[in-house]
Amino acid sequence: MIRKLRAASARWTLVVPVAAFVVLVLTWHEDLPGWVVGVVALFLIGAVLAAVHHAEVIAHWTGEPFGSLVLAVAVTVIEVALIVTLMADGGDKSATLARDTVFAAVMITCNGITGLSIIVAALRYRTAVFNAEGTGTALACIATLATLSMVLPTFTTSTPGPQFSTTQLGYAATASLVVYGLFVTTQTLRHRDYFLPVTPEGRIRRDEDDDHVGPPTLRAAGVSLLLLAVALVSVVGLAKGVSPTIESVVDDAGLPHAVVGVVIAILVLLPETIAALRSAVRNRVQTSLNLALGSALASIGLTIPAVAIASTWLSGPLVLGLAPSHMVLLTLTVVLGTLTVIPRRATLLQGALHLGVLAEFMVLAVNP
């Protein structure tokens, strides 16, 4: 019976990404009626779950922190493609889409995924333990890039409004790529141990400590890598397909257009959220934080250069500067994250505080 269940599980993770991609091809650039949007949403959820499965297979084959890096970069690259596509279609209305989506991603990852992971681990093991060196490094990079890319445009004077001049945007894009590249080098080569899960005693937790099966074969990992790419393309493509419906609902409800960026960020970050929570259940909170903070860093470090390049041919303006209320939330997130990281362990309280900050962000998104 167990073998049959495992075989059925393996089959659906193979079939669903391909089926979701077929649905994407059939519905691309089509005006979708309500019932079709519902079907698309179901395939989108299936593609998210399949992406999580294949990301875990790859993570098991590569080991940490490469596994979380693969998922974070893959999701972010396709997220960037989605943002640029929507900006190209939206004109002046989408001038703030990149800022809104990236900032929403930072809030969701640094407060939502981080807070939920800490709570899950704390409920199960009393405290969530992690490596302060690696987590602190990621948080420092996020604070630096968010300030250079989304805080400074509000205060620059070369261009009217919260926008960079061409020179300033070029520097922000270059700095984003350089800092992200240095972080990846630190994470995977120079100080890889800083990003490995730890035991309550502070000892590095190796994969063999809690994995009772061997790593997948090279062939299985290759198949999962291919299907992960198909699943993520399907997730973002289907999210774009339902985005007109999302925009219509937001407009009909009289909500700010920034809510669209929040919804897009939530959809795109679903695979990382599920993967992070599953790692927290296994008391591998460092892996959860690698996914959360790595995604936030990749979102800034890859999106800003991409939209900087795209702005050369997009007709509308590119607004990156945050509103004062969002700058306050960003500052609070960095301070709270720092205080959470320093003790190398966190309790239910710290997780709840992070979720409280995320809830305030959601409230301000709906009611600025």
Side-chain angles (χ1 to χ4, degrees):
M1 178 63 70
I2 294 177
R3 289 182 178 178
K4 289 182 179 180
L5 290 175
R6 286 179 177 175
S9 175
R11 281 196 296 270
W12 83 260
T13 57
L14 295 174
V15 171
V16 168
V18 177
F21 186 78
V22 171
V23 172
L24 170 61
V25 172
L26 294 176
T27 58
W28 187 252
H29 283 309
E30 297 288 341
D31 293 328
L32 306 180
W35 70 271
V36 176
V37 172
V39 173
V40 168
L42 290 177
F43 277 96
L44 190 154
I45 294 171
V48 166
L49 297 176
V52 172
H53 168 80
H54 293 297
E56 290 185 338
V57 172
I58 296 169
H60 193 190
W61 183 72
T62 60
E64 281 298 315
F66 295 99
S68 55
L69 180 64
V70 168
L71 180 58
V73 173
V75 168
T76 305
V77 167
I78 302 175
E79 175 192 354
V80 169
L82 174 62
I83 292 173
V84 173
T85 302
L86 292 176
M87 289 179 66
D89 296 339
D92 290 349
K93 190 177 181 181
S94 62
T96 62
L97 180 64
R99 179 200 66 187
D100 295 337
T101 305
V102 170
F103 185 66
V106 171
M107 290 291 104
I108 292 169
T109 53
C110 293
N111 290 307
I113 300 179
T114 297
L116 285 173
S117 298
I118 290 173
I119 287 176
V120 168
L123 287 174
R124 193 175 178 92
Y125 305 101
R126 288 188 60 83
T127 56
V129 293
F130 43 83
N131 198 321
E133 288 86 357
T135 308
T137 298
L139 189 62
C141 291
I142 292 170
T144 300
L145 289 189
T147 302
L148 292 178
S149 302
M150 295 188 291
V151 174
L152 284 180
T154 305
F155 299 98
T156 55
T157 57
S158 297
T159 305
Q163 302 180 50
F164 273 140
S165 67
T166 302
T167 301
Q168 293 165 346
L169 182 59
Y171 173 77
T174 303
S176 297
L177 281 177
V178 170
V179 171
Y180 185 65
L182 289 173
F183 171 77
V184 171
T185 302
T186 300
Q187 183 184 35
T188 58
L189 298 176
R190 300 281 299 181
H191 299 285
R192 182 184 174 189
D193 285 355
Y194 290 175
F195 298 89
L196 295 178
V198 294
T199 65
E201 297 78 25
R203 178 177 59 86
I204 293 177
R205 184 189 298 274
R206 302 294 179 181
D207 289 340
E208 57 268 18
D209 291 343
D210 51 7
D211 288 332
H212 303 292
V213 295
T217 63
L218 177 60
R219 180 174 180 272
V223 171
S224 285
L225 182 60
L226 176 61
L227 290 174
L228 173 63
V230 172
L232 292 177
V233 169
S234 301
V235 168
V236 179
L238 294 176
K240 182 182 185 302
V242 301
S243 62
T245 303
I246 296 172
E247 291 179 348
S248 298
V249 171
V250 168
D251 292 338
D252 293 342
L255 299 175
H257 195 70
V259 174
V260 176
V262 176
V263 175
I264 291 174
I266 291 173
L267 290 174
V268 171
L269 289 170
L270 273 177
E272 281 140 315
T273 302
I274 297 173
L277 294 181
R278 293 178 68 167
S279 293
V281 169
R282 297 164 56 204
N283 204 18
R284 302 175 69 90
V285 180
Q286 184 60 51
T287 300
S288 302
L289 298 181
N290 288 346
L291 283 164
L293 302 183
S295 297
L297 191 52
S299 185
I300 305 173
L302 299 179
T303 301
I304 300 304
V307 297
I309 295 173
S311 66
T312 60
W313 53 267
L314 291 176
S315 58
L318 177 60
V319 177
L320 293 177
L322 294 173
S325 59
H326 285 172
M327 285 188 281
V328 171
L329 285 177
L330 178 62
T331 303
L332 178 58
T333 297
V334 173
V335 172
L336 177 59
T338 302
L339 296 176
T340 299
V341 166
I342 289 174
R344 299 173 179 267
R345 60 185 64 238
T347 65
L348 195 67
L349 176 59
Q350 281 98 333
L353 290 176
H354 281 283
L355 291 185
V357 176
L358 177 65
E360 180 62 24
F361 165 70
M362 295 294 187
V363 170
L364 291 177
V366 175
N367 187 18

